[in-house]
Amino acid sequence: MKNPTDRRTFLGAAATAGAFFAGRAARAGEAGKPALLGGEPVRRASFSSWPRTDARDENNLLEVLRSGRWFRGGGDKVNQFETAFAELTGAKHCVAVANGTSALTTTLSAIGVGPGDEVIVPPYTFIATVNAVMLQYALPVFVDVDPETFQIDHAKIEAAVTDRTTAVVPVHLGGSPANLDAILETASKRKLSVVEDACQAHLAEWRGRKVGTLGTAGCFSFQVSKNLSSGEGGAILTNDGDLAERCYAFQNNNRGRAVDSYNFRYVGGRATNLRLTEFQGALLLGQLTRLEQQSATREQNAAHLTSLLREIPGIAPAKMHEGVTRNAYHLYMFRYHPDAFASLPRARFLEALKAEGIPASGGYSPLNRESFLQAALDSKGFRRVFSKEVLDGYRDRNQCPANDRLCEEAVWFTQNMLLGTRGDMEQIAAAVRKIQAHGADLAKA
Ligand SMILES: *Cc1c(COP(=O)(O)O)cnc(C)c1O
């Protein structure tokens, strides 16, 4: 060191507190050149890997493998999982299915959503929510989002209801519950079913109750990216015993729960085979033992990250509705405002974050503007089922300006990034502050 005063200050600080030393090092990193412009990245280590497995998963899988009873009903793993998941969530019934999309398809079929119906959905969701509706030859009607929470704007649902509307599918996007009080009230007033798309919201809670148990039914996904995973997989929760039986029969070619292997009770109605295998049941039983602990870690880390990010001008972490008592944090979501970053475009901000060792995504693009919708509406089936007037008026009814803006501003971190340490959260915030400090240089380069 050139200057003895600097050296004394440095030694004194280091001797006083290790925390200060760490803070000083982090700030030195922030002051340095952005990694995108050739500087040192804030972080080199990768974040927690996903999916995670342990000896229990291996033993469960081997047990099924060696048994030769690989199919649902042959062994008992899927049944055991259904019982355990219902118990954990407080639902009366659980029906496992092949994936989250088939959970939605099964539920919509079982409640009788069909050709000519309209189903209210948010535009800020994974495409499966909408595909499941259209598979029934029903029209998805988009209700705009509330950009503060990223969830469906519940106050706009009622105005979208017509005499064709039979259901609303609120999505607990990112694991943060939509406003279930308001949605259930509107649904009850207008006599609509509520199918909760909880594919991202395992163990999330609304006023102390697990989501997926408050509506007519709740649908879950166990695709590998989800907080509870078996590669592919899904489940339906409901407190309605008849509905559970119809769901079970739908995914089992009209056969109800078996009494003995060929003595099924045929339930009736349209049906198909969407069964989960015993291998997936085995994986889920192991994964389920870790879900609570992992959810608690995500929640703690997310709260810390929010406390850091909300201090940064131009960063607006997604807010939660007042009734949310637990957020599953499948995604950590915030809005990015370039004005506070010397007009650095979001795409460049994402690149700069990645270069600092913080992978991030810009999330969904506007679903209600995608070409697959028009292609389906132009098909013979839809033209047979809906009047020209309804189809012609469709585009105008489905404008979602708040969602268009949200899709340009959103930034996501994936759930596995929340499974590490508080220090990981501090590095994420440090990277954002560093990019902000060098916004002008990054925008120019
Ligand atoms: C993942 C997901 C689905 C579909 O689940 P799959 O298991 O992939 O079929 C549906 N809705 C939402 C909101 C999802 O995130």
Side-chain angles (χ1 to χ4, degrees):
M1 284 189 202
K2 293 174 290 191
N3 185 332
T5 314
D6 276 356
R7 183 175 168 79
R8 253 196 320 277
T9 314
F10 177 73
L11 287 177
T16 319
F20 184 88
F21 179 74
R24 188 185 164 112
R27 258 179 289 280
E30 269 169 58
K33 206 199 275 188
L36 199 54
L37 303 180
E40 275 297 299
V42 166
R43 180 183 172 93
R44 288 195 185 276
S46 51
F47 283 92
S48 297
S49 67
W50 189 263
R52 294 177 166 191
T53 61
D54 66 18
R56 212 164 354 199
D57 302 80
E58 292 177 19
N59 292 336
N60 285 349
L61 277 172
L62 276 174
E63 194 192 314
V64 173
L65 183 74
R66 290 172 179 152
S67 74
R69 304 182 73 80
W70 299 348
F71 62 104
R72 151 150 231 177
D76 208 31
K77 295 283 189 266
V78 174
N79 289 334
Q80 280 175 30
F81 169 73
E82 287 176 337
T83 304
F85 197 53
E87 227 159 69
L88 187 62
T89 53
K92 285 206 182 113
H93 308 277
C94 174
V95 178
V97 288
N99 53 59
T101 309
S102 37
L104 289 162
T105 298
T106 299
T107 305
L108 292 174
S109 298
I111 63 177
V113 169
D117 289 352
E118 290 180 0
V119 176
I120 290 173
V121 294
Y124 202 73
T125 183
F126 182 55
I127 187 173
T129 313
V130 170
N131 283 339
V133 171
M134 297 190 95
L135 202 65
Q136 306 299 116
Y137 286 99
L139 260 191
V141 172
F142 294 95
V143 166
D144 211 353
V145 292
D146 157 30
E148 295 283 332
T149 59
F150 287 55
Q151 309 302 325
I152 194 167
D153 187 341
H154 51 270
K156 296 194 174 133
I157 291 177
E158 193 163 3
V161 175
T162 69
D163 56 3
R164 293 178 295 274
T165 313
T166 50
V168 48
V169 183
V171 180
H172 306 304
L173 209 273
S176 186
N179 189 333
L180 283 168
D181 287 354
I183 292 164
L184 292 168
E185 193 188 313
T186 303
S188 134
K189 186 168 152 206
R190 305 302 297 257
K191 305 214 168 10
L192 309 175
S193 300
V194 177
V195 177
E196 295 176 65
D197 181 336
C199 286
Q200 301 185 359
H202 318 73
L203 299 195
E205 291 176 9
W206 181 261
R207 300 197 195 285
R209 289 165 67 193
K210 299 281 190 289
V211 303
T213 67
L214 287 97
T216 314
C219 297
F220 292 81
S221 166
F222 310 130
Q223 193 272 338
V224 76
S225 67
K226 305 298 163 86
N227 295 15
L228 177 64
S229 169
S230 53
E232 300 279 357
I236 302 152
L237 297 180
T238 182
N239 293 322
D240 176 340
D242 283 345
L243 179 58
E245 201 172 332
R246 289 200 303 279
C247 286
Y248 188 94
F250 184 86
Q251 58 89 49
N252 195 32
N253 273 324
N254 256 330
R255 300 179 299 174
R257 295 212 184 240
V259 181
D260 62 54
S261 49
Y262 286 98
N263 192 10
F264 293 102
R265 209 165 66 67
Y266 289 87
V267 173
R270 295 157 61 248
T272 181
N273 174 1
L274 299 170
R275 290 190 300 267
L276 197 68
T277 71
E278 285 289 286
F279 293 109
Q280 293 158 308
L283 268 175
L284 287 168
L285 281 173
Q287 300 285 325
L288 201 57
T289 61
R290 298 186 289 272
L291 179 62
E292 172 57 41
Q293 184 55 53
Q294 289 169 346
S295 303
T297 304
R298 286 189 195 96
E299 234 186 339
Q300 284 155 15
N301 278 326
H304 188 47
L305 185 56
T306 298
S307 74
L308 299 170
L309 291 184
R310 72 173 169 226
E311 300 303 323
I312 303 176
I315 301 292
K319 291 187 179 151
M320 287 178 260
H321 284 297
E322 174 261 329
V324 177
T325 46
R326 190 170 205 189
N327 184 330
Y329 284 107
H330 175 63
L331 300 167
Y332 186 93
M333 309 183 289
F334 63 89
R335 283 178 297 150
Y336 166 77
H337 299 296
D339 294 0
F341 286 74
S343 298
L344 183 70
R346 181 184 63 169
R348 190 80 176 143
F349 172 74
L350 293 172
E351 268 178 58
L353 263 182
K354 187 167 172 229
E356 297 299 340
I358 314 294
S361 144
Y364 298 129
S365 48
L367 204 51
N368 57 321
R369 295 177 172 279
E370 295 284 348
S371 59
F372 76 91
L373 280 166
Q374 197 54 48
L377 299 192
D378 287 342
S379 71
K380 192 172 74 182
F382 271 90
R383 282 188 290 133
R384 200 173 269 168
V385 163
F386 290 95
S387 69
K388 189 170 177 331
E389 191 193 349
V390 169
L391 292 178
D392 287 350
Y394 183 72
R395 188 183 279 275
D396 286 344
R397 280 173 74 196
N398 280 290
Q399 301 301 315
C400 296
N403 185 61
D404 292 345
R405 213 158 39 245
L406 180 62
C407 288
E408 285 171 11
E409 296 176 346
V411 177
W412 295 354
F413 299 131
T414 52
Q415 51 90 6
N416 62 300
M417 294 169 70
L418 303 173
L419 287 173
T421 62
R422 280 170 73 85
D424 292 352
M425 304 304 107
E426 276 144 31
Q427 285 184 322
I428 293 173
V432 174
R433 287 193 302 260
K434 181 177 173 187
I435 293 165
Q436 185 161 59
H438 298 274
D441 295 341
L442 283 162
K444 257 188 285 156

